Amino acid sequence: MMFWYDHGIGGWGLFAMSVSMILFWALVIGVVFLLVRGLNRPQENGRTRSAPEEILDVRLARGEINEEEYRRRLNALRTGPG
């Protein structure tokens, strides 16, 4: 005689295994996503550049302002008003 139902898992066991498998794969995918996002983040060299500093960089590169004007404005941005 075969024991088809005596040693098997019930409905709740199957449900628990299904939910745990979904949670496991969600965790694995989440960790991979966070690793990829973290590794693709641009490296910061101690100080992040603000938007006005980036605008000054672009204007200098285009030739709209000279290096003396660039340094004067950059210094004014970093020291603040006054």
Side-chain angles (χ1 to χ4, degrees), residues 1-72:
M1 180 175 196
M2 302 284 262
F3 296 103
W4 291 102
Y5 298 105
D6 290 340
H7 299 293
I9 59 172
W12 286 110
L14 184 60
F15 174 75
M17 282 195 324
S18 299
V19 169
S20 63
M21 184 60 70
I22 291 170
L23 290 175
F24 170 77
W25 284 111
L27 178 68
V28 168
I29 291 170
V31 167
V32 169
F33 173 76
L34 291 175
L35 282 173
V36 168
R37 192 177 83 174
L39 292 174
N40 286 336
R41 182 173 294 167
Q43 300 295 320
E44 299 174 1
N45 295 329
R47 177 172 162 69
T48 58
R49 306 216 19 114
S50 66
E53 291 176 355
E54 290 177 6
I55 292 171
L56 278 178
D57 290 344
V58 170
R59 290 187 68 195
L60 178 65
R62 288 182 184 164
E64 295 175 7
I65 58 175
N66 61 16
E67 189 173 343
E68 179 183 333
E69 181 72 13
Y70 171 81
R71 293 194 187 282
R72 186 180 65 77

